[in-house]
Amino acid sequence: MVGVVSVAVNLLMALGMAGGAGLWIDRTGRPSRTRRVIAVVVGVALGALTWWGITSVDKLETTATGVVVSILASGLIFIAANKLFDLAPDRWAVFTTLVGAAGSFAVFAMLWGNRGIDDPALRTVVATAIGGVAGYLLGTVERSGQRLAIGIGAGGVLGALAASGMRNVGLKFTVEQREFVVWPILPYIDYGVLAGAILVGAVLGLLLWQARGRRNPLARSLLLGGTIGFFFGGWLLPSLGSATKTDAFVAAVGVGVGIGAYLGLKPIPDHSARGRIEVSARAYIFLVPALGFIASTLIIPTLRTLFLSFHDARGQEYVGFVNYGDVFGSPNIFNVDGWAGIFGSKLFWVGAVLLLIGVGVSVLMGRQSGYRISFSPGSGGLAALGALLALFAVFAALRGTVFNNLWWVVTVTVISTTAGLAIAVLADRSKGESVAKSLIFMPMAISFVGAGVIWRFMYLARDVSKPQTGVINTFWVGLGNLSLSRGPGFWIAALLSLALAALLVRLAIRAWRVGERGVGAGAAVCALPLVWFAYALWRGVGGFEVRDNGDVVASTIQFAQQAPFNNVWLMLVLIWIQTGFTMVIFSAAIKAVPSDLIEAARVDGASEAQAFWRVIIPQIAPTIGVVITTLIVLVMKVFDIVKVMTNGNFGTQVIANEMWQRAFTELNFGLGSALAVVLFIAVLPILYVNIRRMQKAAS
Amino acid sequence: MKVKLVRLLALMAALALVAGACGGESDTPSTPETVVVTSIVTETETVTEVVTETVTEVVTETVEVEMVNPLAGTTVTVFGPESSDAEAGSHQAALDIFAAQNDMTIQYTGERSFSDLINAQAAGGNPPDIAVFPQPGKIADFAREGWLLPIPDDVIATMEANIGAAWNAFGNVDGVQYAIPTKADLKSLVWYRPADFAANGYEVPGTWADLKALTLQMIDDGNVPWCVGIESGGATGWAFTDWVEDLTLRYEGADFYDEWVAHTIPFNTPEMNAIWTEILELWNTPGAVYAEGGTIASTFFGDNGRPLVEGDCMMHRQASFFSAFFPDGTGFGPDGVDVFYFPSVSGDRPVLGAGTLVAAFRDAPEVWAVMEYYASPEYADNRQRFQNLSKGGGAVLSGFLSPNLNADLGLYQPLEQSFLDILFTAEVVRFDGSDLMPAAVGAGTFWSEATSAVNGDKTVDEATQAIEASWP
């Protein structure tokens, strides 16, 4: 039965919308025949679609039609609202009638939709009529006493109408033979709080009146503030659900009378004021849907999360900062016990030495060129690498969810940005640029979950008695076999790497003679690992292990399981995805650097490196900032990759996944919300910087 | 003027009906509930097709009784975690038979995320009429919240006539019966291949010491004794908790086990740490474990079936439902894959079990009638019949075991009968401890800390201490 009624209502709704919009689209006057036909067709189509969606039991169909109907309805509401305000300047009474009717209808329809009132259809029709009449009267009657009476009367009647239908018991209703219970919505008013809220509202109204230069009558400002205070005190502050009918009447009639009196106190605006109303209304038509959406999906949930984070697991008892204490008191989330291990780790000292060398060389180079410090790609890269390695050692020693997240942020942001920038610079104006860039950009098209699954296969290991099927372990174990075999494959690999090394050394010597010292040094450095590889192959490298009894067995790397560096293997997945993004952005920025700037630098004798560091980098600095902040925010929220690959086991937990597990598996909404708030606060400064930058750029 | 009026009316209608959209659309309840509603409808349809024949048969039998059934026209909703076609389908089919007999409607909805959804439904005031709980711990939570209804005496009488006291106790909270056991899993089992044992001259071990000795002998003979894997996505680690529970029952006895589960004994007592150490020492003995995924922690628990069949390992300890994880065409019994009882330490035969129980949220005659049906051998037999059919019929393991003592054993395969025999004759039956513990431990730290310990990231001491600290 309910189904039939809702189908009928929706059909009518669709027809009415389409008809109304079709007629009103024509600004000039008489709607043409074509428009009428279009309107009817649209209406019938919408109605049929709605019918299909409601009667369908298929989730997909229901959702799809719901989406289509909502989009069309929103569009038509938008058009209708614009048309409505077209009326304001010239046909004021019509305008106020419609606004009154539509406003009352909207309030009652919302109560209807949320099952707030009994007998909703009748009440809604009556309320719409009362609202329309009151609007008409307020748009035509000019005497102030009468206006006030009309406003108070209509507001009071509408409030009483709503309150009389409100339910004070849990409402049961049945859909598809399934019974549902809805909570009651009546408020339980604390009259002290109500009075306080009204007072606060009135004071705010007074301050606003003062601030706006006392242009409006004082009574109106006080009334407006008091009414808003009444609304808060009557509906938002009291606990809904344990109610009395009297309270409902007080809360509803009070607000209704307040709004009515406020409107009644306003005189009918003259033509120029109406014009202003029309103009300013446009802004609201655009803003209100967006603001409403932001409020309902972002601001209210944020406040609710904040509220929950100070309450117990069920969100009932206030517990103060206990949840935050738990976040930073749990060794799985925040563990600094291993800090001494930082100074015992080889990695840290290697990193520190590299950093020192890099900075030292840069300072020396700076002396030559007259700057305090001057990074070349070599020395800057060395310093960055050193810093990164030292940080790895720090994060490998400080364990827990929070440090894992910081590790992610540092590693992914630094490597993705550097690699993206390097590729963008190297590929710039070179042959095959577009092909290379397309290949590197491609992983961007893969979802995080998909990438996680792909890399699980890359990192897969099997029992060492079986052939490996994971890509990297296959190579690793294969390399071990090659190294041990001393067969033809071994010799080919060893000689090949030595030959390549020899070629590189030859290139280095030549370049050195010609004076291309940079190329020479680079080639020599590249030759080193090849020589080392040949040597390692001889000594034995790859996935094998010699047992005590002399047996040689295969040995695999458990990329996702071996803490703490499994974190880095997981980060590699995100780097793989994100480098394409940074590369594309940087590439565009570099191409936007005016070429005459670079040419001028060259004419002045700048080297290739100097042109890069002193001209290109400052030119694309804002882009680098945007990329880094975007990446940081993205990496802070990392969830999918960890969820898919380890689910936070093996010391790879991150805040987002920890939050999910606490809140939804263990149903500890307090702790889960506290984690969410921690994440939110951590992201805030970066967002702030980003917004400030955008504002600066705009001004 | 006329045109104006038309436009005005049209606009009013448009606005009115647009606003009405809010009201009209919310006639169907908010999203999660809609999902429930629609899936109920679809599932009933598909299942009815499957069972039409049997149902009509039963109907013709009962029509002859010619009496006005007080349940006629009523509807009962059931919500549970069994969501695979075989399980949900046969569950619904078994319910449909009762529904057809009484001219009523019973709708079963299965969702894998049952545990999360039932929380929201119960707390939000719109639970199903009956829920199928896999975790007695949750039944206790719900009963203490006042959400579940105590079972009336006549239904309890039926239950006690059919189901053993040990199983019924899982549905008893603070002395009040809230739930009826409907499905049983036997966890204290070791899967093996008798042919492999015979070829190597191994005997099925009778005690835990024998089992350890057998393990060492197998290693000496160059065989790999165990297949172990504890990876299970979001539930990684549960397979280890089963070992812990089984050995706790064996070493420390049922009373200690009950106190440990109820947390009157701390989680990290020396006894528990010793049991963890015992298991990890066995697993970490060189050559003792074949891990398909490279390490125990990275091997999916279901990936242990194929290696056992192919001879990569000799034994695998896992519950009765593991029959579904062997490769297609695997034979069961003395000629294929068989099981032996996970041996005890001191000669008693404690059994670790698991299963589902039904509890009611609505006080109505039709709800209690369905609850009573759940306690009857008819439900057990119908369910087994359909589930066997859904797996292909004949000599297959259905994956379903009933705790009902009066169920028709002829419907089960010999191997399944031996499972039931162990379940019914065991003096000490205990429910899977992690299912009894609060979710933060039983579905949280117990799993994750066990994984850390198995993977060698934490010592036993650190892991059990972390679990103790997380107990709410």
Side-chain angles (χ1 to χ4, degrees), chain A residues 24 77 105 115 314 332 667, chain B residues 7 16 18-19 119 145 449:
Chain A
W24 277 82
I77 290 176
F105 180 88
R115 289 171 204 288
R314 299 286 304 276
N332 281 344
L667 288 173
Chain B
R7 293 167 114 196
V18 159
N119 280 318
E145 290 280 348
E449 297 296 330

Side-chain angles (χ1 to χ4, degrees), chain A residues 332-421:
Chain A
N332 281 344
I333 302 181
F334 191 85
N335 185 353
V336 292
D337 294 344
W339 66 271
I342 296 172
F343 305 105
S345 93
K346 228 188 271 176
L347 193 64
F348 178 76
W349 293 114
V350 169
V353 168
L354 287 181
L355 180 63
L356 274 180
I357 295 176
V359 172
V361 169
S362 304
V363 170
L364 285 178
M365 286 172 62
R367 281 209 186 135
Q368 279 178 0
S369 56
Y371 293 91
R372 194 181 300 159
I373 189 163
S374 165
F375 285 112
S376 74
S379 65
L382 211 58
L385 184 69
L388 204 60
L389 289 182
L391 273 173
F392 271 33
V394 170
F395 285 121
L398 306 177
R399 305 302 308 130
T401 310
V402 170
F403 292 113
N404 279 345
N405 243 63
L406 288 176
W407 196 357
W408 272 84
V409 168
V410 169
T411 312
V412 176
T413 312
V414 169
I415 297 185
S416 266
T417 314
T418 330
L421 185 58

Side-chain angles (χ1 to χ4, degrees), chain A residues 413 417 585-586 617-633 683-699:
Chain A
T413 312
T417 314
I585 307 281
F586 285 139
I617 290 285
Q619 282 288 313
I620 64 169
T623 313
I624 297 178
V626 169
V627 165
I628 287 180
T629 44
T630 316
L631 269 181
I632 289 177
V633 173
V683 174
L684 271 186
I686 301 147
L687 286 180
Y688 174 77
V689 169
N690 219 4
I691 290 168
R692 281 300 296 274
R693 190 193 310 280
M694 281 197 284
Q695 281 173 340
K696 248 189 225 167
S699 66

